[in-house]
Amino acid sequence: MADNSKAEDAASDSVEAAKHASDKKEKLADQVMQNPQVLAALQERLDNSSHTPSSYIETLPKAVKRRIDALKQLQVKCAHIEAKFYEEVHDLERKYAALYQPLFDKRRDFVIGEAEPTDAESEWHSENEEEEKLAGDLKNKVVIEEKEAAAAAEESNPKGIPDFWFTIFRNVDMLSELVQEYDEPILKHLQDIKVKFSEPGQPMSFSLEFLFEPNDYFTNSVLTKTYKMKSEPDKTDPFSFEGPEIVDCEGCTIEWKKGKNVTVKTIKKKQKHKGRGTVRTITKQVPNDSFFNFFSPIKVSGDGESLDEDSEFTLATDFEIGHFFRERIVPRAVLYFTGEAIEDDDNFEEGEEGEEEELEGEEEGEEEEDTESDPKKDSSQPAECKQQ
């Protein structure tokens, strides 16, 4: 009986202790909540959390959330319609590529010297034509010299437009960064670059064809690079769809002539035998930087394995170069040869940067104006944005 009494007393003491601790916590909580600084901090935290879209959605009634889900279903359907739109755009690109091609073929003939433009075809009015007219008097004074120079030029008239595509590679930073000194004599044999689109009913893709004249480096007359594209929303993230994207690419095998492969280099390495201590020299081929590695791209894994960061960067750069050839270089080759297209690109980029700087300046000006508009406001406090 004594033992039972002791147990009951211990239990009673435990309950009392727990009750006392609970009362103490409540009093402490009351004291904390009466502290203005604590309340201000809590209110600020609540205000910040209430401004996030996700937290706002969580506060909505279930019926409203249900309607939002229905809107997302509609958005997914919109993405699939957009994908169909881009498929038809691809069909249009294929159709108009066929219309462009005769002009590109004539361009190639002029470049390689297979044809000579007529006087009408070669007539071009310069932007500086008026200045040239004003300088007519000076030109008249050197007519004899010009005739002599023209006669000399006719005697040394080169075939076509020498180094046309090589000059484009040299002019465009994105390409010149890939070209090594030992690539240059090979690229001087490049006669044309073509873009070909996938046929109707085939998966979306485009190919780049680099046409070379016979040379001392490889036996291929055409080097190809094919870019595979996808124009459909991702099942796991349909809202990220923004149009067709390049998802993979395939190169070709370059049939290098003996000793002419610039994509590899031979190194000599000394090896020491562990047992006998003798040393021998071995030769080994290792990869070498070259533009022609462009035709041996990194292969995207089909089993879903992710690439390392360097490989992803290399592949993304490859896709960007392929897209640039297709959208800019091939359609506007002569303007990249003369440098006019490069100037246009630079001016466009400078214009975008100028707009960004102007917007930043306007924002800073608005902040200063808001701060100065109220002389009673402490300038050390951050300016509040006005609600529209």
Side-chain angles (χ1 to χ4, degrees), residues 248-287:
D248 197 3
C249 57
E250 291 181 357
C252 66
T253 300
I254 302 178
E255 302 295 340
W256 294 100
K257 293 182 179 180
K258 187 175 181 180
K260 298 293 185 178
N261 188 350
V262 295
T263 65
V264 295
K265 60 183 177 181
T266 302
I267 61 172
K268 292 183 178 181
K269 190 175 181 181
K270 291 184 178 181
Q271 283 187 340
K272 186 176 181 180
H273 194 279
K274 291 182 179 180
R276 295 191 295 270
T278 56
V279 178
R280 65 172 183 173
T281 301
I282 62 170
T283 57
K284 183 180 179 182
Q285 283 193 333
V286 296

Side-chain angles (χ1 to χ4, degrees), residues 13-28:
D13 291 342
S14 177
V15 171
E16 285 294 329
K19 186 177 179 182
H20 180 70
S22 178
D23 292 342
K24 192 174 181 179
K25 286 181 180 179
E26 288 180 4
K27 288 179 180 179
L28 182 60

Side-chain angles (χ1 to χ4, degrees), residues 78-80 82-83 85-86 230-234 237-245:
C78 286
H80 284 282
E82 188 180 5
F85 163 78
Y86 284 114
K230 183 182 76 169
S231 181
E232 60 183 57
D234 192 315
D237 185 17
F239 303 133
S240 65
F241 180 73
E242 294 182 349
E245 60 177 335

Side-chain angles (χ1 to χ4, degrees), residues 346-356:
D346 291 342
N347 290 337
F348 179 75
E349 289 175 3
E350 288 175 5
E352 284 188 331
E353 291 174 0
E355 288 176 4
E356 289 176 2

